[in-house]
């Protein structure tokens, strides 16, 4: 009887294993075909010279040497990308948190406001970026300014040049990126809701101000969410593409990111090997920054299980 029961369990186990591999096989095939194989192929391609038309030619580290010597395009794109990370990430995290704190209040109709502020994260893409290009158009002084500068003009304020100005081009890209900051509510609101009300009540009894309650009670308990948003923000800022590509200034040097530089070399100049080298340098930078962030997080991120 026992032997028969074990045999039945063994048969069920084999059946479940077979079903498991059948159900997961589409994902495995897709991962291998569109992620793993291209990932490692690009590593080999980064050591070759290939223009798509002629066969690949092995050049060793020449692509990486050329990349390091390219002070006009690569290093300028790297500086722009670092600017997007250093300025855009803190702004995005701070604004997202402040907005979520306001939208976490239990008032009548709060869900309507949450939907309103979340919608920009849904309506994205090239169409929205083209709309922002018209909104930020600086104009030529003949009444053809974009809506933002036109509104500023009503109050006697001369609007900046935005994407047509070397000083304002990168801030304009960051401004457009903040359009979808409401999407971060999906992370912030659950984190804020997870802070026990009893701790806030205890802090009020001790006479703590709103700022003290936030800094001493709320902030430590939402540090995992802050860590996640900062990490994903850094990764996203180093991969920024559509904003600087769709909303260029008069000179590409003002706004081009590493991803734009990669795209241009691959699909405009057909330097696939060189573009693959850029991709791997970008990958290594993101990986190093992520590891550093993970190590440093042990000093300031609080987990309830600790």
């Amino acid at each position: 009887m026992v032997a028969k029961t074990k045999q039945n369990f063994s048969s069920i186990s084999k059946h479940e294993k077979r079903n498991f591999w059948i159900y997961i096989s589409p994902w495995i095939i897709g991962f291998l075909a569109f992620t793993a194989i291209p990932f490692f192929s690009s590593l080999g391609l980064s050591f070759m010279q290939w223009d798509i038309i002629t066969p690949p030619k092995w050049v060793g580290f020449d692509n990486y040497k050329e990349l390091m010597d390219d002070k006009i395009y690569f290093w300028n794109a790297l500086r722009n990308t670092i600017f997007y990370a250093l300025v855009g990430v803190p702004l995005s995290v701070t604004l997202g948190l402040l907005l979520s704190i306001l939208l976490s209040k239990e008032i009548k109709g709060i869900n309507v406001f949450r939907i309103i502020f979340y919608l920009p994260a849904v309506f994205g893409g090239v169409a929205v970026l083209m709309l922002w290009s018209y909104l930020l158009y600086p104009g030529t002084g003949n009444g053809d300014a974009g809506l933002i500068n036109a509104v500023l003009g009503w109050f006697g304020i001369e609007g900046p040049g935005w994407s047509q100005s070397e000083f304002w081009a990168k801030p304009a890209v960051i401004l457009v990126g903040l359009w979808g900051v409401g999407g971060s509510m999906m992370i912030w609101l659950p984190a804020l809701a997870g802070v026990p009300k009893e701790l806030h009540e205890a802090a009020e009894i001790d006479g703590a101000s709103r700022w003290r309650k936030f800094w001493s009670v709320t902030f430590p308990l939402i540090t995992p969410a802050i860590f996640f948003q900062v990490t994903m923000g850094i990764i996203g800022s180093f991969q920024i593409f559509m904003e600087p590509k769709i909303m260029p200034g008069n000179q590409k040097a003002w706004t081009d990111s590493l991803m734009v530089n990669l795209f241009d070399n691959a699909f405009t100049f057909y330097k696939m090997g060189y573009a693959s080298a850029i991709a791997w340098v970008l990958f290594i930078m993101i990986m190093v920054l992520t590891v550093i962030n993970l190590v440093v997080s042990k000093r300031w991120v609080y987990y309830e299980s600790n």
Side-chain angles (χ1 to χ4, degrees):
M1 184 68 178
V2 176
K4 186 176 181 180
T5 303
K6 289 183 177 179
Q7 184 178 2
N8 291 336
F9 275 119
S10 177
S11 176
I12 293 174
S13 178
K14 291 181 179 178
H15 179 72
E16 289 180 347
K17 288 181 180 178
R18 183 174 65 253
N19 287 342
F20 168 79
W21 288 111
I22 291 175
Y23 294 148
I24 203 175
S25 60
W27 181 88
I28 294 176
I29 295 172
F31 174 77
L32 291 174
F34 300 109
T35 302
I37 294 176
F39 179 81
F40 291 105
S41 297
S42 68
L43 177 60
L45 193 59
S46 67
F47 297 100
M48 300 181 183
Q49 181 180 349
W50 186 42
D51 59 2
I52 300 179
I53 300 174
T54 59
K57 177 184 177 183
W58 180 267
V59 294
F61 287 93
D62 287 357
N63 287 326
Y64 291 94
K65 292 178 181 178
E66 181 183 352
L67 189 148
M68 292 296 107
D69 293 337
D70 186 4
K71 298 181 180 180
I72 298 178
Y73 296 105
F74 174 78
W75 286 102
N76 182 73
L78 177 60
R79 286 191 294 268
N80 292 342
T81 303
I82 293 175
F83 180 89
Y84 296 143
L86 292 178
V87 179
V89 174
L91 278 176
S92 177
V93 171
T94 303
L95 290 178
L97 178 57
L98 292 176
L99 177 62
S100 298
I101 291 175
L102 294 175
L103 295 175
S104 66
K105 305 298 182 181
E106 297 180 359
I107 59 175
K108 185 177 180 180
I110 190 63
N111 287 333
V112 176
F113 290 100
R114 290 175 180 175
I115 293 173
I116 291 174
F117 282 99
Y118 182 76
L119 282 178
V122 178
F123 298 112
V126 176
V128 172
L129 292 177
M130 292 300 297
L131 177 62
W132 271 102
S133 297
Y134 289 113
L135 291 175
L136 295 174
Y137 183 68
T140 59
N142 298 320
D144 60 348
L147 180 60
I148 293 178
N149 280 3
V151 172
L152 292 176
W154 297 346
F155 301 95
I157 302 174
E158 183 178 356
W162 300 117
S163 60
Q164 308 299 317
S165 165
E166 182 177 2
F167 180 80
W168 285 100
K170 285 188 285 291
V173 170
I174 293 175
L175 175 63
V176 175
L178 295 175
W179 159 256
V181 74
S184 62
M185 288 190 303
M186 302 299 290
I187 302 298
W188 292 123
L189 289 180
L192 293 169
V195 179
K197 294 182 179 180
E198 295 80 4
L199 296 179
H200 282 158
E201 294 172 355
E204 289 180 2
I205 295 174
D206 291 338
S209 62
R210 290 185 177 181
W211 169 250
R212 176 54 60 185
K213 285 192 297 182
F214 172 79
W215 187 251
S216 300
V217 178
T218 304
F219 183 84
L221 295 178
I222 65 171
T223 48
I226 297 175
F227 167 69
F228 175 80
Q229 295 284 35
V230 170
T231 301
M232 298 306 296
I234 292 174
I235 295 174
S237 63
F238 269 80
Q239 294 178 333
I240 188 171
F241 173 73
M242 283 204 304
E243 288 85 353
K245 183 65 176 178
I246 302 301
M247 301 180 55
N250 283 334
Q251 295 186 21
K252 289 170 63 61
W254 296 347
T255 57
D256 271 5
S257 65
L258 285 177
M259 285 298 296
V260 175
N261 188 246
L262 188 159
F263 179 88
D264 288 344
N265 278 284
F267 302 107
T268 301
F269 307 117
Y270 299 107
K271 299 169 63 176
M272 291 297 177
Y274 185 76
S276 297
I278 296 176
W280 272 91
V281 170
L282 181 60
F283 167 74
I284 292 172
M285 287 191 295
I286 292 176
M287 183 178 64
V288 170
L289 289 174
T290 303
V291 171
I292 292 174
N293 202 16
L294 284 170
V295 174
V296 174
S297 68
K298 296 178 181 179
R299 298 184 178 182
W300 64 276
V301 178
Y302 169 79
Y303 295 100
E304 293 184 9
S305 59
N306 289 351

